Amino acid sequence: MNLSHRVGSRFHTASLEASSSVRNSSGEMSPGSSIPVRRAALFLAAISISCFLLYRAADSLSFSPPIFDFSSYLDNEEPKLEDVLRKAATTDRTVVLTTLNAAWAAPGSVIDLFFESFRIGEETSQILDHLVIVALDAKAYSRCLELHKHCFSLVTEGVDFSREAYFMTRSYLKMMWRRIDLLRSVLEMGYNFVFTDADVMWFRNPFPRFYMYADFQIACDHYLGRSNDLHNRPNGGFNFVRSNNRTILFYKYWYASRLRFPGYHDQDVLNFLKTEPFVFRIGLKMRFLNTAYFGGLCEPSRDLNLVRTMHANCCYGMESKLHDLRIMLQDWKDFMSLPLHLKQSSGFSWKVPQNCSLDSLRRYDESGEDDEESDPPGESQE
């Protein structure tokens, strides 16, 4: 009641002041003052009524504010991408990113083999501290939380990414382009990233083999011998990108170009873009990674003393992929168990590909090429 009394007193005083200010010395209204007085009276009346109604409404609620269970809300809230990146990043704001859907997240599937490669690789286990898994559906996110500490849920409305996305199907194309848009946003937040498909096995720390001054460097299905040769055939499943104005512009251009080339996936479009004038105008420094270090089933690394990563590319179907990945991991274990002198002289080689082959992809218009021996890259001076 004190609050209403004070408000009422102030309005009463204001009304008296307004009335006295428009009367002349005889107590009569001054000419021409009736209209302003009416407006002032109506204004004050409206405010008084509004305050009265607010007071009554508050009184009926006994001044009790609505109650929210904030603890439950915070427990269920998924972290924002920038928060996850900040926690996972190195001191120079670099993260390792991979995407995951339910098909690859199932126990015994690709994600388990991916983690195993980090555990048995040389100087790779600590890199897991900087790995962010981007889950494309609820099942993948739930499995990520069981396995890892840096998880982000990226759900695309109206699209189900939970099933296996077969090469060049509509779901596959949507998934690939969603990935490019995600990586663009990571660059805009100021983070460098290594993007890796989960079917890339990490056998050695790749960072010492990256080019120091390149903006954008990417693995290859087929490497022709020089890191700056635009005829190299890139593979989007593994790349290292530094955040700057050039790479942000490039990723925006790359993503927008999907409309110019409908029906093509991001890797094909990259092949179209890499020679376009726009790339040269923005000054993007692009390098292609030697398959001697960053190999795959399309073109395996020949020397296990050099290999950093191996990708289960050129492979169609989950069962074929899992079969060859398990053999690949066992090949690495067998090699690492050899004495040093035998590692250097035995000529030990991969037993893969087996179930995976280029023939399985030709029906989808992705033909392969023969392997080609290449020299190691120099210190980014090519």
Side-chain angles (χ1 to χ4, degrees), residues 62-353:
S62 300
F63 295 100
S64 299
I67 298 173
F68 296 96
D69 185 0
F70 285 105
S71 60
S72 174
Y73 175 76
L74 291 173
D75 288 342
N76 294 328
E77 186 183 36
E78 294 167 356
K80 295 180 180 179
L81 177 59
E82 192 161 11
D83 293 334
V84 178
L85 295 174
R86 185 179 62 255
K87 292 177 181 178
T90 63
T91 54
D92 69 345
R93 297 177 66 86
T94 298
V95 293
V96 179
L97 295 166
T98 193
T99 52
L100 185 68
N101 67 350
W104 283 29
S109 191
V110 175
I111 191 63
D112 288 337
L113 303 182
F114 181 66
F115 273 101
E116 184 178 353
S117 75
F118 281 91
R119 289 191 291 269
I120 65 176
E122 288 187 342
E123 300 179 0
T124 51
S125 59
Q126 66 271 24
I127 298 175
L128 288 174
D129 292 336
H130 309 293
L131 171 69
V132 174
I133 297 177
V134 179
L136 302 176
D137 57 74
K139 288 183 178 178
Y141 185 65
S142 177
R143 184 77 204 288
C144 178
L145 294 176
E146 295 175 9
L147 297 173
H148 194 53
K149 59 183 177 181
H150 302 307
C151 303
F152 174 70
S153 177
L154 179 70
V155 177
T156 304
E157 187 175 352
V159 181
D160 180 11
F161 286 146
S162 63
R163 294 174 293 178
E164 182 180 1
Y166 291 102
F167 184 69
M168 291 307 294
T169 60
R170 180 177 295 182
S171 293
Y172 175 88
L173 293 175
K174 286 182 178 179
M175 190 181 297
M176 294 303 101
W177 285 115
R178 187 69 184 94
R179 182 175 78 185
I180 296 298
D181 195 35
L182 168 73
L183 296 177
R184 183 267 314 159
S185 66
V186 171
L187 293 173
E188 288 187 330
M189 292 177 191
Y191 292 93
N192 316 309
F193 65 78
V194 176
F195 177 82
T196 174
D197 279 342
D199 61 346
V200 175
M201 302 292 102
W202 287 53
F203 294 125
R204 287 189 178 92
N205 182 356
F207 284 91
R209 294 306 312 180
F210 289 142
Y211 295 98
M212 185 178 299
Y213 301 109
D215 299 317
F216 174 91
Q217 42 199 304
I218 187 167
C220 296
D221 285 340
H222 183 53
Y223 183 75
L224 296 173
R226 292 182 63 83
S227 67
N228 57 359
D229 188 339
L230 294 178
H231 292 95
N232 287 312
R233 291 188 57 196
N235 185 295
F238 187 88
N239 50 68
F240 177 40
V241 186
R242 291 186 169 90
S243 175
N244 55 46
N245 289 337
R246 295 182 295 275
T247 55
I248 292 170
L249 284 172
F250 176 67
Y251 266 81
K252 287 181 177 180
Y253 186 65
W254 191 359
Y255 183 69
S257 295
R258 78 195 188 284
L259 303 177
R260 296 166 51 202
F261 304 101
Y264 287 90
H265 63 72
D266 60 305
Q267 192 169 298
D268 281 337
V269 173
L270 174 60
N271 270 316
F272 301 146
L273 301 184
K274 64 188 180 183
T275 57
E276 287 194 354
F278 176 81
V279 176
F280 297 97
R281 283 201 304 270
I282 65 174
L284 185 77
K285 300 179 181 68
M286 184 182 297
R287 289 290 184 269
F288 300 91
L289 298 171
N290 192 337
T291 52
Y293 301 92
F294 302 92
L297 298 183
C298 298
E299 189 167 290
S301 304
R302 295 181 182 274
D303 188 349
L304 273 71
N305 290 291
L306 299 179
V307 66
R308 301 280 164 166
T309 63
M310 274 281 285
H311 189 185
N313 52 6
C314 293
C315 191
Y316 177 78
M318 180 67 76
E319 291 305 316
S320 295
K321 188 180 292 288
L322 291 174
H323 177 271
D324 280 23
L325 281 173
R326 293 187 182 110
I327 293 174
M328 191 189 299
L329 290 170
Q330 188 59 51
D331 285 346
W332 175 257
K333 292 175 185 177
D334 293 343
F335 173 77
M336 293 302 292
S337 67
L338 294 174
L340 180 60
H341 69 281
L342 289 179
K343 288 180 183 178
Q344 296 174 345
S345 61
S346 65
F348 192 97
S349 61
W350 304 104
K351 297 183 181 69
V352 288

Side-chain angles (χ1 to χ4, degrees), residues 3-17 44:
L3 177 64
S4 63
H5 175 72
R6 289 175 184 173
V7 170
S9 299
R10 288 177 182 174
F11 285 136
H12 179 67
T13 302
S15 298
L16 292 175
E17 291 175 351
L44 292 172

